[in-house]
């Protein structure tokens, strides 16, 4: 895997693509201030483990996955306060809700957002809590989750040619992951993947359980 993303000319790209690159540049410029003041889990944890990759990983696919994120949930919900829930968890706040996990895939690279309470396997480097010590709900914004994903891309994919993850959310119960598509860790994180957008009416997200 290359150690840095090659520069791509902006000429001829669609406006949405240019916007994604601008958003990514802003998001990568500084680490999110909320996370930066917290413990190890709240900083990108990079790993060279082969459990995180499946075959060859092209680092540019991670940029493309970020673009998919920016063109979907970031574009739709952006700065809205949202309560994120594990499948089966009951909402506690008077907020719109989104059930996790969610993923944004581009060929060999996938960004996953998942509740850390659902990950019982010992697969996360730098993790300081066990799955049963995390709550099944937490609050954040998609704009913040996007900036965390961009931070992981800059810290792990670009700088040291690895993949990684970071805990975030008000109580650090949400995990943002940059993983190899179809890898062992990918399958753990996307277990019970649910579709759908945020729920504005009943405050109960899509749940098929």
């Amino acid at each position: 895997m290359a150690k840095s993303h090659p520069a791509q000319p902006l000429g001829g790209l669609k406006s949405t693509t240019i916007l994604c690159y601008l958003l990514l540049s802003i998001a990568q410029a500084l680490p999110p201030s909320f996370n930066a003041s917290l413990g190890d889990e709240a900083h990108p944890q990079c790993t060279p483990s082969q459990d995180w990759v499946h075959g060859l990983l092209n680092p540019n696919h991670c940029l493309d996955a970020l673009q998919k994120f920016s063109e979907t949930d970031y574009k739709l919900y952006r700065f809205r306060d949202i309560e994120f829930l594990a499948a089966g968890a009951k909402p506690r706040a008077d907020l719109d809700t989104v059930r996790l996990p969610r993923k944004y895939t581009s060929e060999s690279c996938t960004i996953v957002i998942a509740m850390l309470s659902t990950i019982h396997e010992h697969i996360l480097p730098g993790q300081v809590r066990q799955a049963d010590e995390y709550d099944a709900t937490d609050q954040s914004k998609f704009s913040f989750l996007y900036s965390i994903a961009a931070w992981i891309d800059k810290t792990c994919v670009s700088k040291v040619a690895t993949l990684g993850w970071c805990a975030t959310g008000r109580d650090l119960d949400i995990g943002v992951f940059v993983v190899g598509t179809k890898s062992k860790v990918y399958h753990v994180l996307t277990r019970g993947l649910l579709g759908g957008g945020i729920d504005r009416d009943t405050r109960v997200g899509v749940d098929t359980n």
Side-chain angles (χ1 to χ4, degrees):
M1 188 163 60
K3 291 189 177 181
S4 61
H5 305 321
Q8 181 170 348
L10 295 181
L13 293 180
K14 293 189 295 185
S15 59
T16 54
T17 302
I18 295 173
L19 176 60
C20 175
Y21 280 109
L22 292 174
L23 289 172
L24 180 59
S25 297
I26 294 170
Q28 288 184 335
L30 291 172
S33 57
F34 176 77
N35 268 51
S37 63
L38 300 173
D40 288 345
E41 281 190 337
H43 293 76
Q45 301 295 312
C46 306
T47 175
S49 171
Q50 291 302 302
D51 290 342
W52 286 65
V53 296
H54 180 73
L56 296 176
L57 186 138
N58 183 334
N60 287 315
H61 293 164
C62 297
L63 286 178
D64 294 338
L66 277 166
Q67 180 171 339
K68 286 191 175 184
F69 191 165
S70 75
E71 292 175 347
T72 53
D73 288 330
Y74 178 91
K75 180 179 179 180
L76 291 170
Y77 311 124
R78 205 166 302 194
F79 304 117
R80 186 172 302 177
D81 289 314
I82 294 173
E83 183 177 15
F84 291 88
L85 310 169
K90 301 298 183 183
R92 302 173 185 172
D94 188 21
L95 298 172
D96 296 322
T97 63
V98 167
R99 292 200 180 271
L100 299 178
R102 294 174 86 84
K103 69 182 179 72
Y104 316 89
T105 296
S106 176
E107 300 185 55
S108 65
C109 187
T110 296
I111 295 167
V112 181
I113 303 171
M115 297 304 299
L116 292 166
S117 62
T118 65
I119 305 168
H120 297 274
E121 294 81 355
H122 299 290
I123 57 174
L124 305 181
Q127 187 176 26
V128 297
R129 289 182 283 172
Q130 301 299 316
D132 59 4
E133 297 178 272
Y134 295 99
D135 205 337
T137 80
D138 203 354
Q139 297 174 29
S140 190
K141 297 177 172 67
F142 273 112
S143 58
F144 195 81
L145 299 179
Y146 175 87
S147 70
I148 294 291
W151 192 18
I152 298 168
D153 179 78
K154 177 181 179 181
T155 303
C156 300
V157 181
S158 295
K159 287 189 176 180
V160 293
T162 63
L163 298 167
W165 76 286
C166 187
T168 192
R170 188 183 65 178
D171 298 314
L172 296 182
D173 293 315
I174 302 169
V176 179
F177 308 84
V178 180
V179 301
T181 307
K182 305 301 183 184
S183 65
K184 178 181 178 180
V185 172
Y186 167 93
H187 287 297
V188 170
L189 297 177
T190 58
R191 224 170 14 206
L193 190 69
L194 301 173
I198 66 171
D199 187 88
R200 301 179 185 80
D201 300 318
T202 64
R203 297 188 299 110
V204 179
V206 178
D207 190 350
T208 58
N209 293 341

